[in-house]
């Protein structure tokens, strides 16, 4: 058994840079955190740069679409609507790529990447819809069409709906959006295969959801269909498909850059709503559902990285020409381009602030003297295995941290490839007087863990097990 008499074996956290003793023989070395100097908060940029970014992407108009509450009883609307917007913009992106007249465009890889991106988005949308099954107060509140009771009789104007029979008397209804671009892509020779793949992906991913999307997928389960046009409003969304500089910039990468970042910002808006929901569910002690939301948030961070990777397919010369045309340049030597997105800065801060929920989850208060009270509670939680929902949650919180730091590390690599290391400021680490001085982007993924007590608890538990087994476990593996 693991020795749980920790108080006699632990050193207070207010004694830095020493190796705490768990017993007379067991010692654990705690690494010294990397220290930053002469760097302001990494999550900051100039107001003028942020305003220019918002104006270029027409974000004020997009936010009006995201934040308009059309269905007051539907709690999932503000979470799901921007995700559907991102999906619909991706359909437009497929059309842009396949219509590219440039002979040197890598259309084959673009098509593959956008198919993969669409699949990732549909998976996340399905997860958002599944949540309505678990939340009894949200069930049945969304705008849906349930045509299974029509016995195949349709109104004259319902030309967007198909009905056929399966297995005798079973009625199957497939509804197709009138305004979405996906049904049009399915009729275009260049995009027909991609559109069919997307429709079958929707069919598969939405099987556990209370309804399907109504984009023309077969709907073999005969589920109700979401009123996609009423929720997404594709016509209003596609009215924002041109940047304010289209009339004066003749560069095809302008459309790809503009569309990529509209997709990115739409998912950032969904991430913001998910993070708010995580905090409220933790406060309400709905820990298992909060853990599911945390893993959803982890996957959103991974999706944001996948979206940023699209920059790697842009033509280098055309992109750098566009960069000069748009006057994209750092305001200072340590500024990261991504922090011009106020939404990205906000969800980064919100993700980091989840660390303050740990004491509440563990049912303890922070020791004002800096003692290891939270660490002890975490060790008990891990070893006693009595509250698995809390274990799920604290593990998921650390998963968010890992995904967040991977996003910013990956973004640094994208900048270096797309713009060059000197312009991106991504490779610059200057040593000085025994401490590190780095650019603001590197500072985000090099900073210490957001959850030091959970980290220390696992470190001590691991060392206790190693001490208890005394190497016998390794000997058994060797045999």
């Amino acid at each position: 058994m693991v020795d749980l008499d920790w108080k006699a074996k632990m050193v207070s956290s207010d004694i830095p840079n020493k190796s705490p003793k768990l017993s007379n023989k067991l010692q654990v070395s705690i690494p010294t955190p990397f220290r930053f100097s002469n760097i302001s908060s990494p999550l900051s940029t100039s107001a003028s740069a942020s305003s220019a970014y918002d104006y270029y992407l027409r974000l004020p108009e997009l936010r009006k679409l995201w934040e308009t509450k059309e269905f007051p009883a539907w709690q999932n609307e503000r979470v799901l609507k921007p995700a559907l917007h991102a999906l619909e913009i991706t359909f437009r992106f497929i059309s842009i790529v396949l219509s590219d007249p440039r002979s040197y465009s890598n259309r084959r890889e673009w098509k593959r990447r956008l198919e993969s991106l669409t699949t990732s988005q549909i998976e996340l949308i399905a997860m958002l819809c599944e949540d309505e099954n678990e939340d009894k107060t949200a069930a049945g509140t969304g705008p849906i069409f349930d045509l299974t009771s029509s016995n195949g009789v349709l109104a004259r104007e319902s030309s967007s709906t198909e009905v056929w029979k399966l297995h005798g008397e079973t009625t199957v209804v497939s509804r197709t959006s009138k305004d979405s671009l996906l049904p049009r892509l399915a009729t275009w020779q260049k995009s027909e295969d991609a559109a069919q793949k997307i429709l079958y992906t929707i069919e598969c991913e939405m099987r556990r959801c209370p309804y399907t999307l109504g984009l023309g997928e077969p709907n073999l389960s005969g589920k109700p269909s979401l009123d996609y046009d009423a929720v997404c409003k594709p016509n209003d969304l596609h009215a924002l498909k041109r940047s304010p500089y289209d009339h004066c910039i003749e560069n095809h990468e302008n459309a790809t850059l503009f569309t990529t970042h509209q997709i990115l910002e739409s998912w950032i808006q969904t991430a913001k709503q998910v993070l708010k929901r995580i905090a409220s569910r933790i406060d309400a002690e709905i820990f298992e559902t909060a853990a599911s939301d945390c893993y959803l948030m982890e996957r959103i961070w991974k999706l944001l990285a996948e979206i940023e990777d699209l920059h790697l397919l842009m033509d280098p010369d055309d992109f750098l020409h566009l960069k000069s045309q748009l006057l994209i340049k750092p305001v200072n030597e340590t500024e990261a381009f991504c922090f011009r997105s106020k939404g990205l800065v906000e969800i980064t801060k919100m993700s980091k602030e989840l660390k303050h929920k740990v004491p509440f989850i563990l049912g303890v208060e922070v020791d004002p003297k800096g003692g290891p009270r939270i660490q002890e509670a975490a060790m008990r939680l891990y070893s006693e295995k009595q509250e698995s929902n809390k274990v799920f949650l604290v593990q998921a919180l650390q998963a968010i941290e890992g995904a967040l730091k991977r996003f910013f590390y990956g973004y640094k690599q994208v900048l270096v490839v797309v713009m060059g290391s000197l312009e991106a400021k991504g490779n610059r680490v200057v040593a000085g007087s025994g401490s590190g001085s780095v650019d603001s982007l590197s500072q985000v993924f090099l900073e210490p863990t957001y959850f030091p007590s959970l980290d220390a608890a696992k470190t001590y538990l691991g060392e206790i097990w190693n001490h208890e087994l005394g190497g016998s476990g390794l000997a058994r593996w060797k045999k």
Side-chain angles (χ1 to χ4, degrees):
M1 295 294 292
V2 179
D3 184 359
L4 299 180
D5 183 19
W6 300 318
K7 290 188 178 180
K9 297 180 179 180
M10 298 173 63
V11 178
S12 174
S13 61
D14 59 356
I15 305 178
N17 301 326
K18 293 186 179 181
S19 299
K21 294 184 179 181
L22 294 174
S23 68
N24 291 332
K25 298 181 179 180
L26 176 64
Q27 293 190 0
V28 181
S29 299
I30 306 297
T32 304
F34 187 87
R35 299 184 182 276
F36 304 101
S37 65
N38 302 322
I39 293 287
S40 59
S41 171
L43 303 178
S44 61
T45 190
S46 68
S48 59
S50 293
S51 297
Y53 177 84
D54 286 7
Y55 177 73
Y56 173 67
L57 295 178
R58 305 184 67 173
L59 287 185
E61 296 154 283
L62 269 177
R63 289 191 186 104
K64 288 181 180 178
L65 295 179
W66 296 334
E67 296 171 0
T68 300
K69 190 76 172 172
E70 300 279 354
F71 309 97
W74 189 29
Q75 298 178 12
N76 219 19
E77 180 181 1
R78 293 203 175 185
V79 183
L80 189 57
K81 183 188 291 186
L84 292 177
H85 284 165
L87 183 64
E88 184 65 30
I89 295 171
T90 307
F91 300 155
R92 187 174 80 225
F93 206 167
I94 293 173
S95 175
I96 291 172
V97 167
L98 296 182
S99 302
D100 191 343
R102 297 174 297 173
S103 60
Y104 51 86
S105 175
N106 191 353
R107 277 184 287 274
R108 185 178 184 183
E109 187 59 28
W110 265 115
K111 191 174 182 180
R112 287 174 173 172
R113 290 290 185 100
L114 290 178
E115 286 177 359
S116 174
L117 178 63
T118 303
T119 298
S120 299
Q121 292 180 83
I122 292 170
E123 289 174 354
L124 289 178
I125 288 170
M127 292 174 68
L128 290 171
C129 295
E130 283 178 42
D131 184 71
E132 294 188 26
N133 271 341
E134 300 176 6
D135 188 350
K136 302 304 180 184
T137 62
T141 57
I144 60 175
F145 288 101
D146 187 359
L147 299 176
T148 57
S149 60
S150 65
N151 295 321
V153 179
L154 300 176
R156 291 178 181 271
E157 65 274 10
S158 297
S159 59
S160 61
T161 306
E162 296 180 3
V163 177
W164 61 91
K165 295 284 188 179
L166 282 182
H167 306 298
E169 297 301 319
T170 303
T171 303
V172 177
V173 180
S174 173
R175 182 175 177 82
T176 302
S177 164
K178 295 179 180 178
D179 299 331
S180 173
L181 288 181
L182 182 59
R184 303 177 200 179
L185 292 176
T187 63
W188 186 26
Q189 185 179 4
K190 288 185 177 180
S191 59
E192 181 182 3
D193 57 337
Q196 289 298 328
K197 182 178 179 181
I198 293 169
L199 290 171
Y200 288 127
T201 300
I202 294 172
E203 176 74 13
C204 293
E205 294 298 333
M206 299 296 290
R207 290 185 66 84
R208 289 190 294 266
C209 303
Y211 50 80
T212 189
L213 295 184
L215 284 169
E217 63 275 17
N219 191 20
L220 298 179
S221 301
K223 292 182 181 181
S225 294
L226 182 72
D227 190 349
Y228 183 89
D229 291 346
V231 177
C232 184
K233 296 187 180 298
N235 289 334
D236 292 345
L237 183 65
H238 294 310
L240 306 177
K241 67 181 180 181
R242 299 189 182 278
S243 81
Y245 305 117
D246 269 12
H247 65 284
C248 58
I249 293 180
E250 293 185 5
N251 189 322
H252 199 81
E253 295 299 357
N254 186 36
T256 56
L257 181 68
F258 176 79
T259 309
T260 297
H261 282 266
Q262 279 199 337
I263 296 170
L264 181 79
E265 289 296 328
S266 296
W267 275 107
I268 286 173
Q269 178 68 17
T270 288
K272 192 185 307 180
Q273 300 303 318
V274 171
L275 286 164
K276 289 178 181 178
R277 196 165 72 181
I278 291 171
S280 64
R281 285 177 170 174
I282 291 176
D283 292 341
E285 299 186 31
I286 313 174
F287 295 135
E288 188 167 352
T289 308
S292 296
D293 276 345
C294 287
Y295 283 119
L296 173 63
M297 188 62 221
E298 177 203 17
R299 293 192 60 171
I300 292 176
W301 274 114
K302 292 178 178 179
L303 176 66
L304 298 182
E306 187 177 354
I307 296 168
E308 289 290 358
D309 284 347
L310 295 177
H311 290 85
L312 300 175
L313 295 180
M314 297 179 187
D315 179 74
D317 183 62
D318 288 352
F319 175 79
L320 293 173
H321 183 201
L322 176 65
K323 176 176 171 290
S324 298
Q325 289 174 305
L326 294 175
L327 301 177
I328 301 175
K329 57 181 66 177
V331 177
N332 56 61
E333 289 188 348
T334 61
E335 182 208 50
F337 289 107
C338 62
F339 295 138
R340 300 182 182 201
S341 168
K342 291 180 284 189
L344 182 62
V345 169
E346 186 174 357
I347 65 169
T348 302
K349 290 179 178 178
M350 292 173 72
S351 296
K352 294 176 69 173
E353 290 301 307
L354 289 174
K355 63 186 178 182
H356 298 304
K357 300 292 184 181
V358 171
F360 177 76
I361 295 168
L362 298 178
V364 296
E365 294 183 0
V366 177
D367 189 339
K369 296 182 180 180
R373 187 181 297 171
I374 301 174
Q375 180 181 327
E376 291 174 5
M379 292 174 74
R380 282 193 295 271
L381 176 69
Y382 292 140
S383 56
E384 292 175 359
K385 306 184 190 301
Q386 298 298 314
E387 297 178 287
S388 58
N389 56 345
K390 291 186 177 182
V391 176
F392 299 157
L393 180 53
V394 294
Q395 287 288 94
L397 290 174
Q398 289 189 287
I400 292 177
E401 176 189 4
L404 183 157
K405 290 182 175 180
R406 283 194 297 272
F407 169 81
F408 284 105
Y409 179 80
Y411 182 81
K412 171 185 173 182
Q413 308 311 313
V414 170
L415 280 185
V416 171
V417 172
V418 172
M419 299 185 184
S421 58
L422 182 64
E423 179 70 24
K425 307 295 182 183
N427 289 339
R428 189 171 60 83
V429 178
V430 182
S433 63
S435 62
S437 177
V438 301
D439 61 277
S440 60
L441 185 59
S442 299
Q443 184 177 347
V444 175
F445 60 81
L446 288 176
E447 62 184 331
T449 176
Y450 307 151
F451 304 96
S453 296
L454 300 180
D455 180 76
K458 291 177 180 178
T459 301
Y460 278 105
L461 276 177
E463 292 298 328
I464 288 172
W465 274 115
N466 289 339
H467 183 62
E468 291 284 333
L469 294 175
S472 59
L474 180 60
R476 285 197 299 271
W477 276 107
K478 286 183 177 180
K479 292 180 181 179

